[in-house]
Amino acid sequence: MKKRNRIKLKTLIKEKLDQLVQEDALGHGSQAIVELDQQSVGRLSRMDALQSQAMAKAQKQRRQGVRQSLELALQRLDTDEFGYCEHCGEIIDLNRLMANPIIRKCISCMKL
């Protein structure tokens, strides 16, 4: 892979990591402990709050998984493994990598 393309991908990955940090900061308040005081909130409102909290926690876990994948892609970018299918060894199209830099398989192997 050309050095110019590696730089573009590294920049893209770092931008995506920064976005995840910002999303975590925005969702931090939604993950707070739900107050169970019946005087201040009704039962249905508490149920809504608990559901929102569960969804916020699930989103945080998803972001953590994506973050780990992006960090691994960033590490692989500095090796000769990045951009090649981990299954068959074929080159992964640059446009696919730019769309999703955590991809590790070519289209043919993804269909298997």
Side-chain angles (χ1 to χ4, degrees):
M1 179 177 296
K2 295 180 182 177
K3 185 176 181 176
R4 174 185 52 178
N5 292 336
R6 285 186 189 271
I7 292 170
K8 283 183 184 179
L9 282 163
K10 188 175 273 193
T11 302
L12 176 69
I13 291 170
K14 287 182 179 182
E15 287 173 0
K16 288 183 179 280
L17 285 168
D18 289 342
Q19 287 174 351
L20 289 173
V21 169
Q22 291 173 1
E23 288 176 19
D24 275 345
L26 290 174
H28 186 69
S30 301
Q31 299 169 37
I33 295 173
V34 176
E35 185 66 40
L36 296 178
D37 181 12
Q38 290 195 18
Q39 309 308 357
S40 63
V41 180
R43 190 179 96 231
L44 292 177
S45 296
R46 280 193 317 279
M47 288 174 60
D48 286 342
L50 288 168
Q51 184 178 22
S52 293
Q53 179 190 40
M55 288 176 16
K57 285 182 177 182
Q59 289 172 341
K60 181 180 179 182
Q61 287 179 329
R62 181 198 58 83
R63 285 191 300 269
Q64 286 175 339
V66 172
R67 181 181 297 116
Q68 288 176 341
S69 296
L70 287 168
E71 288 170 351
L72 287 172
L74 200 56
Q75 291 173 2
R76 284 192 342 268
L77 193 58
D78 294 330
T79 69
D80 291 333
E81 296 175 20
F82 189 84
Y84 292 93
C85 177
E86 66 180 14
H87 188 260
C88 71
E90 290 293 318
I91 295 174
I92 300 173
D93 185 61
L94 181 62
N95 291 328
R96 282 189 70 222
L97 290 171
M98 291 299 287
N100 188 357
I102 63 175
I103 290 175
R104 298 177 73 166
K105 291 184 180 179
C106 66
I107 292 177
S108 299
C109 292
M110 291 290 287
K111 292 179 182 178
L112 296 178

